[in-house]
Amino acid sequence: MTTIKDVAERAGVAPSTVSYVLSGSRKISEDTRRAVQAAIDELGYHPRASARTLRSARTRVLALAAPRVPGAYRAIDGRFAIDVTDAARGHGYDVLLMTDSDGVGGLRRVACSGLADAAVLMAVEDRDPRVEVLGELGFPAALLGRDDHAQLPWTDLDWDAAVALAVRETAAAGHRRILFLSSAEHEVAARRGYALHGLDGARRATAETGAEVRVVPSHRDPDVLARRLREALTARPAPTALVVQHLILLPRLLDAVATAGLRVPDDLTVVLVGSLPDELGIRHLPRIDLPVAEMSTAVARLAIDAIDPGSDARPPSGPPHHLIQPRMAGPAIAPPSLG
Amino acid sequence: MTTIKDVAERAGVAPSTVSYVLSGSRKISEDTRRAVQAAIDELGYHPRASARTLRSARTRVLALAAPRVPGAYRAIDGRFAIDVTDAARGHGYDVLLMTDSDGVGGLRRVACSGLADAAVLMAVEDRDPRVEVLGELGFPAALLGRDDHAQLPWTDLDWDAAVALAVRETAAAGHRRILFLSSAEHEVAARRGYALHGLDGARRATAETGAEVRVVPSHRDPDVLARRLREALTARPAPTALVVQHLILLPRLLDAVATAGLRVPDDLTVVLVGSLPDELGIRHLPRIDLPVAEMSTAVARLAIDAIDPGSDARPPSGPPHHLIQPRMAGPAIAPPSLG
DNA sequence: CGAATTCGTCGAATCGATTCGACGAACGGC
DNA sequence: GCCGTTCGTCGAATCGATTCGACGAATTCG
């Protein structure tokens, strides 16, 4: 267990000098620097994080508050966690993973006991109790998901623009009767940002394109979803395109489409907004991907920037945010069949 | 920022007494204990983790090494991360999330700088370099996935027994020509435990049941998978059941089945071994689920037990492990149609 | 009733880094 | 050649908890 004292001894300098070599916060002659570096390498010295933190009051750790309750945790959240961790590492930060299984208690514990410098909140809800606790504690944080109400920085895909773009492009491909499978009802009820903004975008695009867009609210129960979808698909005149925001049940959804006797994209064009894990291999449909990597990078950045409020001047208006514009990906949207 | 000294002052005792109240490592009179507890509550005192760690050389943190490379990270891994975190919390431990984006460097850094007391490795490969580093450092660890080669504790589903059970039950339902879609070729090549043991189980069950079991190696490319599957499904005499271990591409797989003109389960019975995220809503097929919760609990336990090797006597033979027996779930396996 | 024990609490050393003030040496100006 | 800088390094205080030895008071025992 080598300490800074061992390194100093071996290099023939004082411990403080080693510290200055490490931090670069004071000027050190090239000779001394080399000697210290050599001693560090030879001994394989790693500064003890706890000692460093105790003195400097900086942990260089970000707390990542992930959802675990069924219905809040999504498959893609694992990818977010990984990407946020990598992004944080890029700034020299580690990530402490937390669940909401003990509600806000975990967050309070981590903040108060000095286990992290800032928090990143995933799956933020309207009037999220975690946001209140962070505000009360004055703990720096950033949100993965839009929330204009909370006085905290956030990043998100512009869901309004995304759904509007999907509908607009679908209409531009020639479709006049479009189905929009929105978020699940309980997500709308929870006033989740993506759910509300997605609906807004659908409405806006409807007005702009003049196409007939029917909104079908999704449901977390696959059977309810399948039933609703079948009804909407068999209505006459039949819709020719389906824009899907609620992707989680996509396998069951495609199953329901197949059961209705429809072929994709010959009988029905399917356009996706959002993201499933890459590995599911859903690469054959036109879509707007959730920019997981960009959002993760942004939220790590926002959280870290929130740690040291003295560094730059107080922003004139509210906390910063990072709104990402949507882009179409995958194959082109097929036009409606002539039948 | 309240410290133990503030609490002591308020309670009219020495700081060390407060510490003893907190840790319970010395006897304290009931009166003093109450006074100290009152002071703690009134001041909202939380011990500083860094100070505690510096002195006691215990972080009460587990490092969770998650895979990020495409093909190694799976959607279900996010669920594992969450469940391991909850299990660790149950023992008073927090979880530091790490990726393998910097190879073994991150693990070495976390171990040497004293950021964690033990590591949990996900997605362990044969001759995993991370295992070697941990061995070299003498850092306590446990593996999420069977590895009889590494001298480390592990937990896993008994994949051999799982695939054997699935095949056996399928044969018992009356199927004589069974297709087994094994793990992807690259997983077998990487000698991943589940891939090898799954194949073993298929072989064993074949011998036992006398059914004709054809092994179709899966592939990470959905198109290759679809082609292989179609060929196998259209062979004559046609197979009547499909046992699937490679679940990741299930949506594409079901799509390929539908494209071949087959209905599930009327024309083809599909049995799953392993797990997709719950939320995908694949609940309508007979299956053997990956025991995510049980594995997570076990691995957290194994890692924490590995921290303090002096507590119990040296085990006579190798590190402990936790092998979980499979159970069928979901609807019963449909018998082959009479056609 | 005095000595030996037990009980509960205290004071001080300690963990390993950071950081500030100080100090000696080299250097430049006049 | 003397004085005032500048430069590079050092020593010591500090962060906030843990933990050991010690110590006075209460209790037990001969």
Side-chain angles (χ1 to χ4, degrees):
Chain A
M1 189 132 308
T2 72
T3 73
I4 201 172
K5 205 177 270 185
D6 302 325
V7 175
E9 221 160 277
R10 175 151 193 143
V13 299
S16 48
T17 304
V18 177
S19 178
Y20 290 127
V21 167
L22 249 26
S23 68
S25 62
R26 272 199 190 178
K27 220 166 185 189
I28 294 288
S29 74
E30 186 54 28
D31 287 357
T32 307
R33 212 196 54 70
R34 253 201 307 272
V36 168
Q37 192 58 54
I40 288 175
D41 294 343
E42 286 162 27
L43 295 173
Y45 167 70
H46 286 257
R48 217 126 279 268
S50 53
R52 182 171 274 197
T53 295
L54 175 59
R55 181 61 228 240
S56 64
R58 280 284 142 78
T59 61
R60 299 194 76 82
V61 167
L62 252 39
L64 179 63
R68 76 151 285 123
V69 289
Y73 176 79
R74 316 288 198 80
I76 198 71
D77 287 341
R79 184 49 81 178
F80 270 116
I82 298 275
D83 280 8
V84 168
T85 302
D86 272 352
R89 280 302 312 144
H91 297 281
Y93 278 75
D94 279 294
V95 165
L96 197 74
L97 185 59
M98 310 178 48
T99 73
D100 51 13
S101 67
D102 54 352
V104 296
L107 215 47
R108 175 170 268 129
R109 185 179 56 83
V110 167
C112 293
S113 62
L115 276 164
D117 294 333
V120 169
L121 264 49
M122 299 174 70
V124 181
E125 291 178 37
D126 193 60
R127 297 293 294 169
D128 196 310
R130 298 176 299 174
V131 170
E132 286 177 49
V133 168
L134 291 173
E136 167 202 325
L137 296 172
F139 197 70
L143 311 180
L144 206 45
R146 182 173 188 165
D147 187 338
D148 298 303
H149 182 72
Q151 284 300 311
L152 288 172
W154 53 260
T155 182
D156 208 346
L157 169 66
D158 189 338
W159 284 97
D160 185 321
V163 171
L165 174 61
V167 170
R168 213 183 293 123
E169 294 277 313
T170 304
H175 296 271
R176 306 308 298 164
R177 290 180 308 281
I178 303 172
L179 237 44
F180 172 55
L181 186 73
S182 69
S183 301
E185 275 175 0
H186 72 278
E187 296 173 296
V188 177
R191 304 195 56 75
R192 293 189 181 275
Y194 55 86
L196 302 182
H197 290 292
L199 286 171
D200 286 346
R203 259 179 238 122
R204 197 156 54 79
T206 304
E208 284 174 24
T209 61
E212 180 191 321
V213 178
R214 178 164 167 211
V215 175
V216 179
S218 189
H219 199 279
R220 69 172 110 194
D221 182 336
D223 296 328
V224 176
L225 163 61
R227 183 162 41 75
R228 286 191 188 165
L229 195 59
R230 202 159 320 136
E231 279 170 19
L233 287 171
T234 53
R236 290 292 171 266
T240 60
L242 174 63
V243 173
V244 183
Q245 187 184 357
H246 190 231
L247 295 187
I248 298 188
L249 296 172
L250 187 62
R252 293 301 300 272
L253 183 152
L254 293 177
D255 187 53
V257 169
T259 304
L262 300 172
R263 304 288 305 242
V264 176
D266 301 328
D267 304 323
L268 184 76
T269 292
V270 175
V271 180
L272 313 179
V273 184
S275 241
L276 283 174
D278 296 344
E279 64 204 57
L280 290 182
I282 311 287
R283 285 269 162 271
H284 58 307
L285 297 175
R287 65 192 186 275
I288 295 171
D289 282 321
L290 191 65
V292 174
E294 186 178 349
M295 286 174 67
S296 301
T297 308
V299 81
R301 191 63 209 265
L302 289 168
I304 292 169
D305 286 348
I307 293 173
D308 195 3
S311 72
D312 44 20
R314 182 75 49 194
S317 62
H321 58 253
H322 185 92
L323 191 61
I324 302 169
Q325 290 311 305
R327 287 186 332 170
M328 293 295 309
I333 298 175
S337 69
L338 298 179
Chain B
M1 188 132 311
T2 72
T3 73
I4 201 171
K5 205 176 272 184
D6 302 325
V7 176
E9 220 161 278
R10 176 152 192 142
V13 300
S16 48
T17 303
V18 177
S19 178
Y20 289 127
V21 168
L22 249 26
S23 67
S25 62
R26 271 199 192 179
K27 223 168 182 187
I28 294 288
S29 73
E30 186 53 29
D31 286 358
T32 307
R33 212 197 54 70
R34 253 201 307 272
V36 168
Q37 192 56 57
I40 287 175
D41 293 343
E42 286 163 25
L43 295 174
Y45 167 71
H46 285 256
R48 219 123 278 271
S50 53
R52 183 169 272 197
T53 295
L54 175 60
R55 180 63 227 238
S56 64
R58 279 283 142 79
T59 61
R60 299 194 76 83
V61 167
L62 252 39
L64 179 63
R68 75 151 287 121
V69 289
Y73 176 79
R74 316 288 198 80
I76 197 71
D77 286 341
R79 184 49 81 177
F80 270 116
I82 299 276
D83 280 8
V84 168
T85 302
D86 273 353
R89 281 301 311 143
H91 296 280
Y93 279 75
D94 279 294
V95 165
L96 196 74
L97 185 59
M98 309 179 47
T99 73
D100 50 13
S101 67
D102 55 352
V104 297
L107 216 46
R108 175 169 268 129
R109 185 179 55 82
V110 167
C112 293
S113 61
L115 275 164
D117 294 334
V120 170
L121 264 49
M122 300 173 70
V124 181
E125 292 178 37
D126 193 60
R127 298 293 294 167
D128 197 309
R130 297 175 299 175
V131 171
E132 287 178 49
V133 168
L134 291 173
E136 167 202 326
L137 296 172
F139 197 71
L143 311 181
L144 207 44
R146 181 174 191 165
D147 187 338
D148 297 303
H149 182 72
Q151 284 300 310
L152 288 172
W154 53 260
T155 182
D156 208 346
L157 170 66
D158 189 338
W159 284 97
D160 185 320
V163 170
L165 174 61
V167 170
R168 214 182 296 123
E169 294 278 312
T170 304
H175 296 271
R176 305 310 298 164
R177 291 180 308 282
I178 303 173
L179 237 43
F180 172 54
L181 186 73
S182 70
S183 300
E185 275 175 0
H186 73 277
E187 296 173 296
V188 177
R191 304 194 57 74
R192 292 189 181 275
Y194 56 86
L196 301 182
H197 291 292
L199 285 170
D200 286 346
R203 257 179 239 123
R204 198 157 53 81
T206 304
E208 284 174 24
T209 61
E212 181 191 320
V213 177
R214 180 166 165 208
V215 176
V216 179
S218 189
H219 198 278
R220 70 172 108 195
D221 182 335
D223 296 329
V224 176
L225 162 62
R227 183 160 44 73
R228 286 190 188 166
L229 194 60
R230 203 160 317 137
E231 279 169 19
L233 287 171
T234 54
R236 289 294 170 266
T240 60
L242 173 64
V243 173
V244 183
Q245 187 183 358
H246 191 231
L247 294 186
I248 298 189
L249 296 172
L250 187 63
R252 294 301 300 270
L253 183 152
L254 293 178
D255 187 54
V257 170
T259 305
L262 301 172
R263 304 286 304 241
V264 176
D266 301 329
D267 304 322
L268 185 76
T269 292
V270 175
V271 180
L272 312 180
V273 184
S275 241
L276 284 173
D278 297 343
E279 63 204 57
L280 291 182
I282 311 287
R283 285 269 161 272
H284 57 308
L285 298 175
R287 65 193 186 276
I288 296 171
D289 283 320
L290 191 64
V292 174
E294 186 178 350
M295 287 174 65
S296 301
T297 307
V299 82
R301 190 63 210 265
L302 289 169
I304 291 168
D305 285 348
I307 293 173
D308 196 3
S311 72
D312 43 20
R314 182 76 49 197
S317 62
H321 58 253
H322 185 93
L323 191 60
I324 302 169
Q325 290 311 304
R327 287 185 333 171
M328 293 294 310
I333 298 175
S337 69
L338 299 179

